[in-house]
Amino acid sequence: MKKNAMKTAAGLVCLAMAFAGVVLSNTGCCPGTSGTASPAKYIFLFIGDGMGATHVAATESYKAYKNGETGFERLSFTGFPVLGMAETYSANSSITCSSAAGTAISCGVKTNNGWLGITPEGDTLKSIASILKEKGYKVGIMSSVPVNHATPAAFYGHNVSRHAYYEITEEIPASGFDFLAGSGFIDYAGKDGDKEGSKPLLEKAGYSVCFGMDELEDAMEAGAEHIVLSQESYRGKDTPTYVVEKEPDGEISSEEMVGKCLEFFGDDTPFFIMFEQGDIDWAAHDNKTMPMIEKVMELDGAVRKAMEFYREHPDETLILVTADHETGGITLGGALSGEDNLKWNILDSAWTASGCRNELGYNENKALNDKAYIGWTTLSHTGGPVPVYAIGKGSDRFGGRYDNTEIKGKILGE
């Protein structure tokens, strides 16, 4: 076959794969690309807890409104070249919880709702973070919510109850992970407050537990090898298991958290970073549209920090953005729809007037959402597939529709 004919044939194969639902990227099958079966040197996995496709669309629609436009203003990750869809059901329910979904993503196995890192038969699972740690990767596990909450815990914890928070914290040292961060610890000293505090517990195991940015800077300057970062406002006490409202000024942002982890890791050693924006889910449980949008934009800021790193290492970096499940069943168009546009000005005005806090009750929030033509169908999780956005080395594996248990293998190149 002549060279031009070979190029044409290869191009037709790639085109056929694209029409079949296989999205190609700069690491795909076409001539001149470099797809391999090995994991990327630098891996970022972002999980927007409860973030379905319409949560993202609502955020983009609001951003367009703020610029005086109709339509969508893209977030960083919606411009990624690869888009897939992941199914989210658990081992015992069509509608998953975060711990079961986190286990599916991290360990590649379905488990029961409420369980962490354990099969329905009771066997202990090994997460992708642990596998990569054994391969010499540095590991960072971070969340905007407590570090021992369901999603981050799914990468290092093993328990038949996601609510065994103190016992989950006790598992951190065994992981050997290098950098963990979150708002703080649920059950800081056990459910009854009669246990050793989480800070001394972890420090005895060789972790530097830092509350706030100043202590983090000091630990990094002192050459700490293992760090757990918490917000200053939860120093030595329990963090709430659920809080929607805006954090106090001075709290470490999602973008700063990822940035500090990158500073701590550098680029000499391979790394795996998982960051969860957990409060997207919390806002969606209350059907609070503006707090939900604010949290999606916070996630976007964290992804933008990863993109800065990606631009310096484009051939060695993989970035994924996905969700563990969808929460709230949000729609662009509500029960009172009938006009040809959303009324973002109604929600935006109420949000601004409240000082970017939404402490209204359910009925008051519903009235605002209805007037703005934003619909919510439930206060709980839903069972539909969630989007997977991918860019970088190995990203071609993430196009199409698949189960969330396949994400682990796709990252590893299995």
Side-chain angles (χ1 to χ4, degrees):
M1 187 181 292
K2 294 182 179 179
K3 184 182 291 186
N4 288 343
M6 292 176 65
K7 287 184 177 179
T8 300
L12 288 172
V13 169
C14 288
L15 184 62
M17 290 178 69
F19 275 111
V22 179
V23 185
L24 305 176
S25 74
N26 60 354
T27 58
C29 70
C30 296
T33 61
S34 57
T36 69
S38 61
K41 181 176 181 180
Y42 311 112
I43 303 166
F44 295 87
L45 171 60
F46 291 94
I47 298 176
D49 198 308
M51 184 183 75
T54 309
H55 295 72
V56 175
T59 304
E60 292 185 322
S61 177
Y62 172 74
K63 284 169 63 69
Y65 154 77
K66 292 294 283 184
N67 287 330
E69 300 172 357
T70 298
F72 303 100
E73 181 181 323
R74 290 282 185 93
L75 299 172
S76 60
F77 53 88
T78 56
F80 286 3
V82 178
L83 174 63
M85 296 292 289
E87 297 162 359
T88 63
Y89 63 94
S90 70
N92 65 345
S93 177
S94 297
I95 300 174
T96 190
C97 78
S98 291
S99 63
T103 298
I105 293 170
S106 66
C107 301
V109 176
K110 297 284 189 187
T111 193
N112 297 327
N113 281 0
W115 291 28
L116 277 170
I118 295 176
T119 69
E121 295 74 33
D123 297 324
T124 299
L125 295 167
K126 182 178 289 188
S127 76
I128 185 172
S130 296
I131 291 170
L132 290 171
K133 182 64 179 173
E134 291 175 355
K135 292 178 179 290
Y137 282 62
K138 292 183 178 179
V139 173
I141 303 297
M142 293 172 284
S143 178
S144 62
V145 303
V147 70
N148 55 359
H149 210 258
T151 301
F155 288 81
Y156 65 83
H158 309 84
N159 206 293
V160 294
S161 173
R162 57 176 285 181
H163 302 297
Y165 297 114
Y166 188 82
E167 290 77 9
I168 289 167
T169 300
E170 289 181 302
E171 289 199 70
I172 289 176
S175 74
F177 294 167
D178 305 273
F179 190 98
L180 296 96
S183 60
F185 303 91
I186 304 174
D187 294 342
Y188 175 83
K191 290 190 182 300
D192 298 321
D194 56 353
K195 305 286 188 181
E196 182 178 27
S198 294
K199 179 179 171 70
L201 169 74
L202 294 172
E203 287 182 336
K204 286 180 181 178
Y207 279 82
S208 295
V209 180
C210 309
F211 287 94
M213 193 67 82
D214 290 343
E215 288 190 2
L216 174 63
E217 297 283 1
D218 291 343
M220 290 173 64
E221 287 183 16
E225 295 184 0
H226 298 86
I227 287 176
V228 179
L229 172 65
S230 299
Q231 299 286 10
E232 168 66 34
S233 56
Y234 297 118
R235 176 185 295 275
K237 62 182 181 181
D238 292 350
T239 59
T241 56
Y242 178 89
V243 59
V244 176
E245 308 310 336
K246 185 178 179 181
E247 289 90 357
D249 291 339
E251 296 283 74
I252 302 167
S253 70
S254 299
E255 180 178 352
E256 289 172 330
M257 205 174 277
V258 172
K260 282 300 177 183
C261 184
L262 285 171
E263 183 182 335
F264 183 63
F265 284 176
D267 60 3
D268 293 334
T269 305
F271 63 69
F272 171 82
I273 289 175
M274 190 290 296
F275 178 84
E276 177 215 19
Q277 192 73 43
D279 31 23
I280 297 172
D281 174 69
W282 292 0
H285 271 297
D286 280 355
N287 293 175
K288 292 187 173 182
T289 302
M290 293 308 302
M292 180 276 292
I293 287 173
E294 181 182 68
K295 299 307 179 181
V296 173
M297 290 196 289
E298 270 197 42
L299 173 64
D300 186 53
V303 176
R304 290 179 187 275
K305 181 58 67 174
M307 284 298 296
E308 292 175 9
F309 184 92
Y310 166 81
R311 293 185 188 101
E312 296 178 358
H313 308 275
D315 297 327
E316 301 174 292
T317 304
L318 170 67
I319 303 177
L320 300 175
V321 182
T322 188
D324 51 354
H325 54 76
E326 197 271 357
T327 302
I330 188 173
T331 62
L332 298 183
L336 302 182
S337 295
E339 299 187 20
D340 60 357
N341 206 357
L342 302 172
K343 304 297 183 183
W344 284 118
N345 59 300
I346 292 173
L347 289 171
D348 190 51
S349 297
W351 183 240
T352 303
S354 70
C356 296
R357 298 181 64 85
N358 188 335
E359 297 172 327
L360 300 176
Y362 172 76
N363 290 332
E364 292 85 356
N365 260 305
K366 185 178 187 307
L368 281 173
N369 287 324
D370 285 347
K371 290 177 182 177
Y373 302 150
I374 298 293
W376 293 87
T377 63
T378 179
L379 296 171
S380 300
H381 299 175
T382 63
V386 294
V388 182
Y389 308 90
I391 190 171
K393 178 179 169 63
S395 59
D396 52 298
R397 304 174 193 136
F398 293 90
R401 178 164 164 166
Y402 41 86
D403 193 77
N404 58 2
T405 55
E406 297 180 52
I407 291 174
K408 171 192 169 187
K410 290 177 183 292
I411 293 174
L412 294 174
E414 296 173 346

